[in-house]
Amino acid sequence: MDKTRILLSSRPKLLSEVIRDLIEHQADMKVVGEVIDPIELLRAAGETAVDVVIVTPLEANGEPRICRHLLASFPPLKVVTLSAKGETAYLYQSGLPRLRIDEPSGQSILSAIREALQ
């Protein structure tokens, strides 16, 4: 079974480290890279053939523009947006309404990713 390939674009650094540690302890997932710059994120998503991108910070109003760009360029991709404080998370998929991940925790985010990939 192939592992789910995840690209991180998370700030602050502590949050990124927590997310990376969480994913690296999953038998079915692996982090394949980490980038901060949005242009670099678009390039890296294509070059690494990722399944999921986890992005922070979450824009206060509406869908972060980077989600639209990523999903337009890579329709099978799943994008998780996570606020810098970790209190709000959404899952974006091409052609579907965004899914709010209620009471975001490591396990609820992992579960949302696994369900989206089925």
Side-chain angles (χ1 to χ4, degrees):
M1 178 177 145
D2 290 335
K3 290 187 175 190
T4 299
R5 299 168 53 86
I6 299 175
L7 181 62
L8 301 178
S9 183
S10 305
R11 290 176 267 180
K13 185 162 180 56
L14 179 61
L15 179 60
S16 179
E17 290 171 0
V18 169
I19 294 169
R20 178 181 286 278
D21 185 61
L22 175 70
I23 292 167
E24 288 177 346
H25 283 89
Q26 305 306 306
D28 61 336
M29 297 180 181
K30 68 179 177 180
V31 174
V32 296
E34 186 169 356
V35 295
I36 299 299
D37 179 77
I39 300 298
E40 182 68 18
L41 177 57
L42 287 168
R43 186 189 62 72
E47 289 179 359
T48 57
V50 295
D51 303 301
V52 178
V53 172
I54 299 177
V55 180
T56 60
L58 186 65
E59 289 183 10
N61 297 314
E63 176 183 321
R65 277 184 259 153
I66 192 66
C67 290
R68 287 189 295 269
H69 292 295
L70 284 165
L71 294 173
S73 299
F74 313 104
L77 187 66
K78 312 304 180 216
V79 180
V80 174
T81 59
L82 181 63
S83 65
K85 293 182 181 177
E87 75 276 6
T88 309
Y90 291 95
L91 173 73
Y92 293 88
Q93 302 176 76
S94 184
L96 295 174
R98 74 180 180 180
L99 170 69
R100 182 182 173 92
I101 301 172
D102 291 323
E103 298 184 30
S105 67
Q107 291 308 311
S108 65
I109 292 168
L110 294 173
S111 293
I113 290 170
R114 287 182 177 115
E115 287 176 23
L117 292 169
Q118 292 183 354

